[in-house]
């Protein structure tokens, strides 16, 4: 083999000083690597790479001295150059400059170590096609890295990078670049030169804008900008003709861009922004779209033109401000999933929402003719209407069993609202999006009928005892308030199935929730919760959804894996180290299995 001959012929690389060898690597592995060109040393607890690994193609193998009668299988002089080296999941704090002794490498994987820097010698690996240095502690990238012009995949995610070298555009053959979960505040304009890039992930950084030049990436099919500080998207993005998947979730967007040239766009994810308007211009070019995800925004209406999305299969509009749907939505031929929970829909009963997408679409189709003959559906005022009730929707109270006083920016709910209820059995109360600093005491008057209360987006700092007396309550939404705790008296809400406490100020998981055994869904994202009691959670045998995203959890107790009823467990955006993001990305079942594997025997 050429490398062995170079070593014997006095190759200058063969004369490098040899420090004390590190932890031994089994000779059998080295022998196999000389034949296959691949060496996997992952998960071996290595604090450094043994010198004989770097010199595997230079030094005469040990067996050549020990075994003088060998057959065809042991012809060490016919070894092949090492092309693939995996050093993942060790304890490496640095890589030696001796990495240049392996010039034939096409794959180098050192993810999940403790690297704080990379050697400039990486620039000598001119054959390298894949470099994975993710899940380390890198603060900078050596300029020499941009010399790797054959590189196709570069994985830098989950490090501590605050900038990237300006010369990144020299990596002209790059097809996959992942710099997510770093501290980047901008993207080099030279990215525009990456004409072969297919997948770009810049999620979970600190980007406030995207360079307009990014539109020059004519091969880009997947762009992930999740969880940054983007307020707008450059209009040039609309000219990216190959784009198929665009992720803009968890930013500060106030409107959707238009996409006149993105004829191939199949997935658009823009949930958890501040989008208020969805109009026809946003939709009319997206003929190929199959997934549209806009949950957790402030969208007030859905345009009739949504029916142009004839290939749409998934539409997620949960947790917006939508009060009415176009019935023509029922005519989308491919739609298989429609999420609408958390909207103040007036004409659609909650039990219908819970029956699933197909039943809902069938209902919408049945209403199309009604919508044509009587589009307003508001009954005329009658002689029974009292003067003081002129601004009260009696139709909602009597027919929909809904008491609504939302989006008024009111500091208190007028008494006339409660007076109007009289003996009507109101089941739903919506006082969201006001300026309430306390829960109206008169809400207790509805205790014999109400089962759904929405007090979200107010200024509540405590939950009143009157609310704790609504013994038929099954759904409670108090998100986006100033709550730090819940009263023990809430234990009386024995029928409560769903509670939304997102975007409050809880520092601990409210203890009373552990005792509400009918709970099926607990939404506690975007608080400051530092710990959870897994043993208490196991007693909640109906709990199917637990959302703890964006809290302050420093660790996830392994016993949480024994919560067998959990179907959805959301933990992203917490400071714990394990489970790692790769495990979280595999979904709830994988996370629970991982946690169970960590329970001490």
């Amino acid at each position: 083999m050429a490398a062995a001959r170079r070593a014997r012929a006095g190759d200058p690389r063969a004369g490098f000083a040899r420090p004390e060898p590190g932890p031994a690597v089994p000779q059998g592995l080295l022998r196999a690597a000389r034949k296959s060109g691949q060496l996997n040393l992952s998960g071996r607890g290595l604090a450094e790479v043994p010198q004989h690994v770097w010199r595997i193609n230079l030094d005469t193998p040990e067996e050549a001295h020990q075994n003088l009668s060998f057959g065809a299988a042991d012809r060490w002089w016919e070894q092949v150059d090492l092309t693939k080296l995996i050093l993942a999941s060790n304890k490496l704090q640095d890589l030696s400059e001796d990495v240049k002794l392996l010039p034939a490498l096409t794959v180098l994987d050192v993810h999940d170590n403790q690297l704080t820097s990379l050697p400039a010698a990486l620039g000598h690996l001119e054959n390298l096609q894949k470099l994975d240095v993710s899940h380390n502690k890198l603060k900078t990238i050596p300029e020499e890295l941009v010399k790797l012009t054959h590189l196709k995949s570069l994985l830098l995610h989950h490090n501590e990078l605050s900038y990237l070298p300006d010369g990144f555009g020299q990596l002209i053959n790059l097809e996959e670049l992942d710099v997510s979960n770093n501290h980047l505040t901008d993207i080099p304009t030279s990215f525009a030169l990456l004409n072969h890039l297919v997948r770009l992930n810049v999620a979970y950084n600190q980007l406030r804008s995207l360079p307009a030049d990014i539109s020059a990436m004519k091969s880009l099919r997947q762009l992930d900008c999740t969880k940054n500080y983007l307020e707008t998207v450059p209009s040039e993005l609309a000219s990216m003709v190959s784009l198929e998947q665009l992720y803009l979730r968890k930013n500060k967007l106030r409107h959707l861009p238009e996409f006149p040239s993105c004829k191939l766009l199949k997935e658009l994810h823009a949930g958890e922004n501040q989008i208020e308007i969805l109009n026809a211009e946003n939709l009319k070019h997206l003929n190929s779209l199959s997934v549209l995800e806009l949950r957790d925004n402030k969208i007030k209406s859905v345009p009739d033109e949504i029916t142009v999305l004839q290939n749409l299969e998934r539409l997620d509009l949960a947790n917006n401000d939508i009060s009415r749907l176009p019935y023509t939505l029922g005519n989308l031929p491919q739609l298989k999933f429609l999420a609408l929970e958390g909207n103040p829909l007036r004409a659609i009963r909650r039990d219908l929402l819970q029956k699933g997408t197909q039943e809902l679409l069938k209902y919408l189709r049945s209403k199309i003719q009604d919508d044509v003959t009587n589009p307003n559906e508001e009954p005329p005022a009658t002689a029974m209407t009292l003067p003081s009730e002129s601004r009260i929707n009696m139709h909602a109270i009597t027919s929909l069993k809904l008491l609504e006083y939302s989006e008024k920016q009111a500091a208190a709910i007028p008494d006339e609202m409660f007076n109007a209820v009289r003996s009507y059995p109101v089941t739903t109360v919506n006082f969201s999006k006001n300026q309430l600093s306390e829960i109206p005491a008169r809400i207790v008057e509805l205790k014999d009928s109400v089962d759904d209360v929405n007090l979200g987006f107010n200024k509540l700092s405590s939950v009143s005892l009157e609310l704790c007396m609504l013994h038929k309550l099954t759904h409670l939404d108090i998100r986006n308030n100033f709550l730090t705790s819940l009263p023990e008296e809430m234990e009386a809400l024995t029928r409560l199935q769903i509670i939304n406490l997102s975007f409050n100020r809880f520092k601990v998981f409210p203890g009373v929730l552990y005792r509400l055994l009918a709970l099926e869904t607990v939404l506690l994202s975007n608080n400051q919760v530092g710990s959870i009691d897994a043993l208490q959670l196991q007693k909640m045998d109906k709990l199917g959804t637990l959302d703890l995203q964006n809290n302050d959890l420093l660790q996830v107790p392994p016993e949480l894996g024994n919560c067998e009823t959990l179907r959805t467990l959301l933990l992203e955006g917490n400071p714990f180290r394990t489970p790692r993001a790769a495990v979280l990305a595999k979904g709830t079942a994988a996370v629970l299995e991982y946690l169970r594997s960590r329970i001490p025997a």
Side-chain angles (χ1 to χ4, degrees):
M1 175 358 206
R5 285 198 300 274
R6 284 198 305 268
R8 294 195 299 278
D11 189 302
R13 288 175 298 169
F16 275 66
R18 303 183 196 180
E20 289 299 312
V25 173
Q27 286 300 317
L29 269 182
L30 295 175
R31 265 198 305 275
R34 290 190 184 97
K35 293 175 185 174
S36 68
Q38 302 184 8
L39 180 58
N40 186 344
L41 297 176
S42 61
R44 291 183 168 269
L46 299 175
E48 60 179 14
V49 180
Q51 189 68 15
H52 52 266
V53 170
W54 300 130
R55 302 184 61 85
I56 188 171
N57 294 139
L58 299 178
D59 295 341
T60 304
E62 200 172 300
E63 61 265 27
H65 305 296
Q66 297 172 349
N67 186 359
L68 299 177
S69 57
F70 34 74
D74 294 315
R75 292 175 179 168
W76 55 265
W77 59 87
E78 292 182 355
Q79 67 177 313
V80 298
D81 275 332
L82 197 66
T83 58
K84 185 174 183 179
L85 177 58
I86 301 177
L87 297 165
S89 301
N90 282 292
K91 299 176 181 176
L92 304 176
Q93 295 185 5
D94 56 57
L95 278 183
S96 167
E97 294 284 342
D98 287 343
V99 68
K100 69 174 121 181
L101 302 182
L102 299 172
L105 279 182
T106 59
V107 175
L108 177 59
D109 183 350
V110 286
H111 83 268
D112 190 19
N113 277 283
Q114 298 166 24
L115 301 176
T116 55
S117 63
L118 294 174
L122 279 178
H124 291 276
L125 304 182
E126 58 186 32
N127 294 300
L128 203 62
Q129 294 181 26
K130 178 175 181 178
L131 176 60
D132 186 349
V133 291
S134 62
H135 290 279
N136 279 286
K137 299 178 180 179
L138 300 174
K139 289 184 166 57
T140 58
I141 297 295
E143 296 283 345
E144 290 79 4
L145 200 69
V146 302
K147 298 177 184 176
L148 303 177
T149 53
H150 289 95
L151 206 60
K152 291 183 178 179
S153 174
L154 178 55
L155 306 180
L156 297 167
H157 53 95
H158 288 88
N159 278 288
E160 298 171 14
L161 302 173
S162 55
Y163 68 94
L164 296 172
D166 288 334
F168 243 63
Q170 296 174 45
L171 300 174
I172 53 174
N173 287 299
L174 208 58
E175 296 175 5
E176 177 183 31
L177 175 59
D178 191 340
V179 292
S180 63
N181 290 274
N182 279 287
H183 307 316
L184 302 176
T185 54
D186 56 44
I187 292 174
T189 53
S190 65
F191 267 38
L193 302 174
L194 302 177
N195 289 325
H196 291 94
L197 201 65
V198 174
R199 290 180 297 279
L200 173 60
N201 191 343
V202 295
Y204 288 85
N205 277 288
Q206 298 167 21
L207 303 175
R208 297 189 179 276
S209 63
L210 295 175
D213 300 343
I214 203 171
S215 60
M217 297 180 182
K218 296 304 182 187
S219 301
L220 198 67
R221 294 209 295 264
Q222 184 184 85
L223 174 59
D224 191 342
C225 303
T226 301
K227 192 68 166 68
N228 279 283
Y229 300 110
L230 302 177
E231 295 184 6
T232 58
V233 174
S235 57
E236 289 81 359
L237 198 72
S239 65
M240 300 182 76
V241 293
S242 298
L243 198 62
E244 294 180 7
Q245 295 175 305
L246 177 58
Y247 295 84
L248 296 168
R249 302 185 75 246
K250 297 176 184 256
N251 278 285
K252 296 179 180 293
L253 299 178
R254 295 191 177 277
H255 56 83
L256 271 182
E258 296 170 20
F259 299 97
S261 300
C262 298
K263 305 293 186 187
L264 300 178
L265 193 65
K266 293 181 174 63
E267 296 188 22
L268 175 56
H269 300 262
E272 294 189 54
N273 279 284
Q274 298 166 24
I275 298 168
E276 296 184 3
I277 297 174
L278 180 63
N279 58 41
E281 293 300 313
N282 301 133
L283 304 174
K284 68 181 183 182
H285 304 288
L286 301 178
N287 300 331
S288 299
L289 204 66
S290 62
V291 176
L292 179 58
E293 187 265 302
L294 294 167
R295 66 180 298 126
D296 295 287
N297 276 288
K298 299 177 179 178
I299 296 169
K300 291 181 168 56
S301 63
V302 179
D304 291 333
E305 290 81 359
I306 197 160
T307 52
V308 304
L309 306 180
Q310 288 290 295
N311 291 302
L312 199 63
E313 296 179 13
R314 294 178 62 86
L315 176 59
D316 191 343
L317 295 168
N319 301 323
N320 276 282
D321 299 337
I322 300 165
S323 57
R324 180 186 168 279
L325 285 177
Y327 295 140
T328 50
L329 195 62
N331 284 335
L332 287 176
Q334 307 295 329
L335 198 60
K336 299 180 180 66
F337 174 85
L338 174 60
L340 293 168
E341 66 269 15
N343 281 288
L345 291 166
R346 295 194 179 99
I348 300 177
R349 301 187 313 276
R350 180 181 292 277
D351 62 322
L352 183 60
L353 293 178
Q354 292 175 336
K355 286 181 179 177
T357 297
Q358 294 312 313
E359 284 295 313
L360 183 55
L361 294 179
K362 188 158 71 172
Y363 168 80
L364 291 172
R365 285 193 293 271
S366 75
K367 298 293 285 184
I368 290 174
Q369 188 59 39
D370 298 347
D371 203 25
V372 171
T373 57
N374 185 11
N376 295 320
E377 283 197 346
E378 282 296 326
T382 68
M384 295 293 292
T385 303
L386 301 174
S388 63
E389 292 171 353
S390 58
R391 62 175 175 157
I392 296 171
N393 187 342
M394 289 305 296
H395 170 64
I397 292 175
T398 58
S399 300
L400 303 178
K401 301 180 181 178
L402 165 67
L403 179 61
E404 179 169 25
Y405 197 82
S406 64
E407 298 187 64
K408 310 289 188 192
Q409 300 303 308
I413 305 299
D415 279 338
E416 60 187 348
M417 293 299 297
F418 292 102
N419 295 341
V421 172
R422 295 195 291 272
S423 59
Y424 294 114
V426 165
T427 59
T428 302
V429 171
N430 183 1
F431 293 157
S432 65
K433 298 187 176 160
N434 282 296
Q435 301 285 323
L436 304 180
S437 57
E438 56 184 29
I439 297 172
R442 287 189 66 182
I443 201 167
V444 73
E445 296 173 17
L446 311 175
K447 65 184 176 63
D448 292 328
S449 60
V450 73
D451 59 24
D452 185 339
V453 171
N454 186 348
L455 290 160
F457 298 91
N458 276 289
K459 295 185 174 181
L460 303 174
S461 57
S462 64
V463 170
S464 68
L465 298 184
E466 285 83 4
L467 187 77
C468 301
M469 297 168 70
L470 305 181
H471 56 91
K472 291 191 174 180
L473 204 59
T474 58
H475 297 74
L476 178 58
D477 188 342
I478 342 179
R479 69 183 127 152
N480 289 77
N481 277 284
F482 302 146
L483 300 176
T484 57
S485 63
L486 296 179
E488 296 301 312
E489 286 80 2
M490 277 187 71
E491 192 170 359
L493 302 179
T494 55
R495 299 187 188 183
L496 194 61
Q497 297 172 7
I498 298 175
I499 188 165
N500 190 344
L501 300 167
S502 302
F503 292 94
N504 275 284
R505 298 180 179 182
F506 292 97
K507 294 189 175 179
V508 296
F509 190 97
V512 68
L513 296 185
Y514 293 126
R515 302 193 292 281
L516 294 174
L517 300 184
L519 275 174
E520 298 172 7
T521 298
V522 174
L523 307 179
L524 201 55
S525 68
N526 296 279
N527 279 279
Q528 301 159 38
V529 174
S531 64
I532 49 175
D533 188 331
L535 297 178
Q536 295 277 9
L537 283 169
Q538 286 176 44
K539 298 175 184 176
M540 301 172 71
D541 55 7
K542 290 188 171 60
L543 189 62
T545 298
L546 178 58
D547 184 353
L548 290 166
Q549 294 178 100
N550 302 318
N551 275 283
D552 294 340
L553 294 176
L554 291 172
Q555 58 181 357
V556 182
E559 292 78 11
L560 190 60
N562 286 333
C563 294
E564 296 176 358
T565 58
L566 277 179
R567 294 291 173 267
T568 303
L569 174 62
L570 303 174
L571 295 169
E572 290 82 0
N574 280 283
F576 56 74
R577 291 183 62 83
T578 58
R580 292 192 180 276
V583 176
L584 297 180
K586 291 178 181 176
T588 299
V591 172
L592 295 178
E593 184 180 348
Y594 169 86
L595 290 172
R596 284 194 293 273
S597 73
R598 310 274 290 191
I599 297 175

